[in-house]
Amino acid sequence: MIIAIDGPSGAGKSTLGKMLAKKLGLLYLDTGAMYRAVAFAILEKGLDIKDHEAIIKTASESEIELSGEPESLHIFLNGRDISGEIRTNEVGQTASIVSTISEVRRILVKRQQELGQRGAGCVLDGRDIGTVVFPNADIKFYLDAKAEARARRRYEEDLQRGLDVTYEKTLEEINLRDKRDKTRADSPLSVASDAILVDTSELNTAEVFAKMLEIVEGKKSLIAT
Ligand code: DC
């Protein structure tokens, strides 16, 4: 069983993806964390964001591992745990820039396809899962919410993590990332024609989870009959 969850930043993909994977006993793959790991490596090396050759070399040489249970997933870069370091806005924006490079996408998509096929099934969250990584996924969700609602959630999470942020700046960053992720030439964020669209603007996590689980259970019983 492959479950694809796509959508813009802050729509709740990773929270819901982890909950679904845990409930269904499936693997969980946070594909954004892989782009973030490459971005982190680039920032650490001090590479020029325009130096595509060096960025592609870094992506192909980076050993990215994801391990642990869905709710406590750890991301390793060349054996080093970088789970906390990749959650900054700087790494997120750099990941969004790096993800426009086709060769970087090819390297990571191949890895995601290999990882997703291990085990009994996998929940993957990202931007191109239902359109490119697993176009034949059993279920495709597209989670969306108004930019203001997503910025509010992200802002509150960042405040809890003790980061020095403002709501206005968070909204500006969300809009910038949306624009880049939706307009890039290679595999832009878009709704797969067979995806189930869920707008999370007015729903809480438990409500969205119940809705998604109902759809998955319905699909599972269809597969079984
Ligand atoms: O989901 P996230 O915020 O951790 O993702 C960081 C960036 O990585 C996002 O702005 C675009 C890119 N990304 C992508 O292009 N394709 C994916 N499947 C996942 C993320």
Side-chain angles (χ1 to χ4, degrees):
M1 156 98 42
I2 296 282
I3 301 178
I5 307 181
D6 289 305
S9 309
K13 301 184 301 294
S14 76
T15 305
L16 273 312
K18 286 174 187 176
M19 289 169 77
L20 271 186
K22 186 167 187 235
K23 176 80 182 171
L24 301 165
L26 302 176
L27 295 174
Y28 166 69
L29 189 56
D30 175 356
T31 65
M34 299 174 77
Y35 289 92
R36 284 175 183 261
V38 173
F40 178 81
I42 289 159
L43 288 168
E44 199 170 48
K45 283 185 180 179
L47 295 180
D48 181 345
I49 202 72
K50 295 196 192 78
D51 187 352
H52 286 196
E53 206 178 309
I55 292 174
I56 294 161
K57 187 167 183 284
T58 301
S60 70
E61 288 172 356
S62 296
E63 263 195 46
I64 303 165
E65 294 290 333
L66 290 94
S67 77
E69 295 301 311
E71 68 277 22
S72 57
L73 193 75
H74 282 253
I75 323 297
F76 294 86
L77 173 67
N78 302 323
R80 175 173 151 216
D81 190 341
I82 54 160
S83 314
E85 284 101 319
I86 60 169
R87 297 296 160 196
T88 65
N89 176 56
E90 186 188 21
V91 174
Q93 294 291 353
T94 308
S96 168
I97 297 171
V98 158
S99 72
T100 63
I101 305 172
S102 294
E103 287 83 350
V104 171
R105 301 202 68 82
R106 226 167 292 145
I107 293 163
L108 295 186
V109 165
K110 187 164 174 277
R111 185 104 182 89
Q112 289 155 15
Q113 289 168 334
E114 288 162 2
L115 291 171
Q117 272 156 3
R118 290 192 313 197
C122 191
V123 178
L124 297 96
D125 93 54
R127 305 290 188 289
D128 59 342
I129 308 302
T131 51
V132 176
V133 183
F134 283 106
N136 297 320
D138 298 285
I139 306 174
K140 299 179 187 178
F141 289 107
Y142 187 95
L143 293 193
D144 208 350
K146 292 187 190 79
E148 290 73 15
R150 292 184 282 121
R152 175 68 54 197
R153 282 181 208 149
R154 180 60 45 87
Y155 167 66
E156 280 164 10
E157 275 168 24
D158 285 352
L159 273 188
Q160 284 202 340
R161 290 166 57 214
L163 299 179
D164 180 18
V165 285
T166 63
Y167 167 75
E168 288 70 25
K169 183 94 186 105
T170 308
L171 179 60
E172 198 182 300
E173 283 159 3
I174 287 249
N175 282 328
L176 181 65
R177 204 126 75 86
D178 278 2
K179 183 159 184 247
R180 202 185 293 113
D181 293 348
K182 288 180 180 175
T183 59
R184 67 177 176 230
D186 190 344
S187 338
L189 169 63
S190 64
V191 189
S193 58
D194 49 352
I196 299 155
L197 194 74
V198 182
D199 190 321
T200 69
S201 309
E202 310 290 333
L203 302 174
N204 64 33
T205 306
E207 289 167 329
V208 181
F209 180 60
K211 206 176 172 118
M212 292 172 87
L213 193 59
E214 194 188 334
I215 293 165
V216 174
E217 298 294 357
K219 179 81 183 178
K220 265 170 65 183
S221 59
L222 269 183
I223 294 172
T225 50

